[in-house]
Amino acid sequence: MKGEKYLKSLKNKSVLTADDFLPARDFLRPKMALFVDYNKVLIDGPTFKNLPNFVMNPQHCTNLVIRNVQINNGYRAQNGDGIDISSCKNVMIYKCTVTAGDDGICMKLSGEKTPGVPELANVIIADCIVYHAHGGFVIGSNTDGSMQNIFVNNCSFIGTDMGVRVKSNAGRGGTVKQVYIQNIHMANILNEAMGFDTCYADMPAGKEKSTLYEQPNNKVPDFSNFYFQNIYCNGAAKAISIKGMPDALIRQLYFKDMVIASKSGFNCENAADLFLKNVYIITAKQPVFETNGYRNIQITE
């Protein structure tokens, strides 16, 4: 808290030097592996343990391969994310194992440079395992810019808070589309097996959650064209949760060939064009499907 307070005071200075930041050094938690503006990067085989902040955080990199990496962060490590890919293109994450204090494998944006050009694109995540983490595969909460063409295949999420987690809020939202998630096995998920939330609680300073619904033009999240297939979950508090905004609906979600055993079922608020085919939710709580503020939901065998 002292470090953050000191850094805020630096905003009043017009010219800053490296010495200006030294008093905050002992208070701030550093990231471990930070790569910025690189091309053709291979990270193969290292193990990282007990980091105080993000473990791996490539930013604005192109042609990046992360494989055979082991990450073991404490479950209580605040912001102890495992692998955070930020505004990168042409990325492969392969055969990695993650235990994290925050998000496991996460896609982020750091602001859109060129309007209409995705800042994060062409990402493949395959054959990975995530144990304790806030989410196994995560998008957000920073989605200010554009993401597209993300493929997640043959991964396992075991004991995570959520399995697949897509989150953002007004003020730092943007377009996220063409996301394909298939052949996923989950077990012992603490909360939702899959969740979408465009009113995420971790808000910019000075904003209240109730005001986020009143700002439809302030970098609002635009989530669409997500495709889920062959998803299996044995144990979750809730199967699927979708929470959009009244003036910015989550759209075009496709769920196919899924079996989820959970305490409660499917909850949808402010969404449109949802298609569920051959989706089985095993739960004792009724009703299985709860909806509010939706348009066009199709459920077929």
Side-chain angles (χ1 to χ4, degrees), residues 6-7 10-11 13-24:
Y6 175 75
L7 288 178
L10 296 181
K11 294 180 179 180
K13 298 187 66 174
S14 58
V15 179
L16 293 171
T17 67
D19 289 340
D20 290 319
F21 293 92
L22 286 178

Side-chain angles (χ1 to χ4, degrees), residues 152-155 157 163-164 180-187 189 193-194 227-234 239-240 254-261 277-281:
V152 183
N153 181 57
N154 196 36
C155 292
F157 308 137
V164 176
Y180 304 83
I181 300 174
Q182 62 185 22
N183 303 319
I184 304 298
H185 293 80
M186 310 183 213
I189 304 301
M194 291 180 286
Y227 301 83
F228 299 89
Q229 187 170 5
N230 296 336
I231 309 292
Y232 304 94
C233 177
N234 183 13
I240 300 172
Y254 300 83
F255 304 91
K256 183 179 179 182
D257 300 333
M258 297 169 46
V259 178
I260 300 177
K277 183 176 182 180
N278 195 29
V279 173
Y280 294 92
I281 297 175

Side-chain angles (χ1 to χ4, degrees), residues 19-20 23 28 35 39 85 104 131 143 151 156 162 218 234 261 297:
D19 289 340
D20 290 319
L28 300 182
F35 305 90
N39 183 27
I85 305 298
Y131 293 102
T143 60
F151 299 82
S156 298
M162 295 176 65
N218 184 19
N234 183 13
I297 296 181

Side-chain angles (χ1 to χ4, degrees), residues 188-202:
N188 304 323
I189 304 301
L190 185 62
N191 299 308
E192 295 93 338
M194 291 180 286
F196 289 78
D197 188 358
T198 58
C199 196
Y200 177 58
D202 184 14

Side-chain angles (χ1 to χ4, degrees), residues 166-178:
V166 183
K167 57 182 179 176
S168 192
N169 58 264
R172 54 179 173 176
T175 299
V176 180
K177 62 182 181 179
Q178 304 298 343

